[in-house]
Structures are given as C-alpha cells and as structure tokens.
Amino acid sequence: MGSSHKHGFGDLLDQHAPIICLLERREMRDTLFSWSITRLPGTVFTDHVDSPEVLARDLIHEAGHHWFNDALTAASVSFPENAAFYSPWRKTIRPAFGFLHACWAFSLTAIYSAQVVDTAPSPVQGFLRDYLTDQGRLLRDALPALADGITLITSVPLRDQLSKAVDAALRCTPGAVHLLPAQ
C-alpha cells in the first residue's frame, strides 16, 4: 500500500489494518463493500477494483474505525444509549457511536482521496472526484448533528481530532466551507 504510506496513512494501515481479506473483484461503477468487526481488530474485509488508490481509500476507512474504537476506549468515552443522530450516509437515525464513527472514517477517506486524485490514472480520477463531491455533500449534511454529537466525546483531545479531521475533509471537497464552531 505504497500510496497510503506516501500520503501519510501508512501507520494507520500498518497498525489498524494489517490483515486484508479481499472479497469480490468489482467494476469501478459497482458498489464496493468493505467492513470490519471489533472482534477481529486489524482485519478488513473488502471488495476491490483494479486500483490501488481505491483499495487504499477503503482500507483507510476501515482502519479508521479500528483506530477510533481504540481511541474511544483509551479515553474511556462512552455514549448514552438514547443519543442518536441522522446519518446522511445511511439515510437513517443512528446511535451516536455509529454516527461519529462515520464522520471520522469518511473524513479520513476524503482527505486521502483529495491527496491522490490528481496523480491517479484517468478513470480513477473521475471516480475519486465524484467520491469527493459526494463526501463533501454528506459531511455538510451531517454538520448540524455533528455539532451536537461531538459534544458527547468527553475527551477534549479526541473531540478536537475529530473536529479537525472533518474540517480538513470539508476543505478538500468541492463546495468547501469551514464547518464546526470551536469546541
């Protein structure tokens, strides 16, 4: 995963996605599924296309989930069971845990995608540009809920890290705006 290392995500993948289980090979226009579970930390299951940039993007997403789980545990952060927010990614109400996970992981993938889009092969560039447009819209749609949800993270450094990641992601997507008020 040379691309992820070159763009600053190598340690994340080395530490939080060292086991990769490639599932189905798909076409770029197909929906790509990737997932991980807490019972197998560091293991990522993912569909793939013929693009190291797209594979790295999906691995960063799942490694981000593992990292966020570890960070929440290390900071002794837990969420009230009744705290839930609208997730534009799933178009449904999700528990705070899942919603904040999405904000973190999709921010990381947007940051990475913005870093590689201009040097990726032509068909991949279009795919990543569309992805960045979609993620920018979804992150902007999540901002009202995120402004409330982020306050549930009792660790100020972790809350700041999430806020900075979302801000960086929004700055590198089409229609960039400054998003979260200072915490």
Side-chain angles (χ1 to χ4, degrees):
M1 296 278 48
S3 179
S4 60
H5 282 75
K6 180 180 175 184
H7 295 284
F9 290 90
D11 287 345
L12 176 69
L13 292 186
D14 291 347
Q15 295 171 19
H16 297 281
I19 302 167
I20 303 163
C21 300
L22 296 178
L23 301 175
E24 292 190 43
R25 186 193 167 290
R26 299 192 181 266
E27 297 299 320
M28 196 95 53
R29 67 183 178 279
D30 295 336
T31 300
L32 300 174
F33 297 101
S34 65
W35 52 278
S36 56
I37 56 176
T38 56
R39 286 175 283 159
L40 293 172
T43 303
V44 174
F45 300 86
T46 186
D47 290 343
H48 58 97
V49 297
D50 291 330
S51 166
E53 296 87 0
V54 175
L55 178 59
R57 178 203 67 167
D58 294 346
L59 294 175
I60 288 165
H61 179 94
E62 297 303 333
H65 285 308
H66 289 297
W67 182 92
F68 200 63
N69 284 338
D70 290 351
L72 291 169
T73 299
S76 299
V77 174
S78 60
F79 301 106
E81 287 187 32
N82 63 342
F85 303 94
Y86 177 76
S87 170
W89 294 276
R90 294 221 179 150
K91 296 181 174 79
T92 190
I93 301 295
R94 299 220 38 225
F97 179 83
F99 171 75
L100 293 169
H101 256 274
C103 293
W104 171 253
F106 284 113
S107 291
L108 296 181
T109 61
I111 294 165
Y112 169 78
S113 296
Q115 291 175 354
V116 301
V117 66
D118 291 331
T119 58
S122 182
V124 178
Q125 284 184 4
F127 176 84
L128 291 175
R129 283 193 178 96
D130 290 347
Y131 179 77
L132 284 166
T133 298
D134 291 344
Q135 289 311 310
R137 178 183 46 77
L138 292 165
L139 282 166
R140 284 188 297 279
D141 289 351
L143 288 179
L146 182 57
D148 291 333
I150 204 166
T151 64
L152 298 175
I153 299 175
T154 53
S155 164
V156 173
L158 184 54
R159 184 173 51 225
D160 289 347
Q161 196 158 2
L162 174 57
S163 179
K164 287 176 185 174
V166 173
D167 193 42
L170 281 170
R171 290 179 188 277
C172 66
T173 60
V177 293
H178 180 70
L179 51 129
L180 288 176
Q183 298 294 321

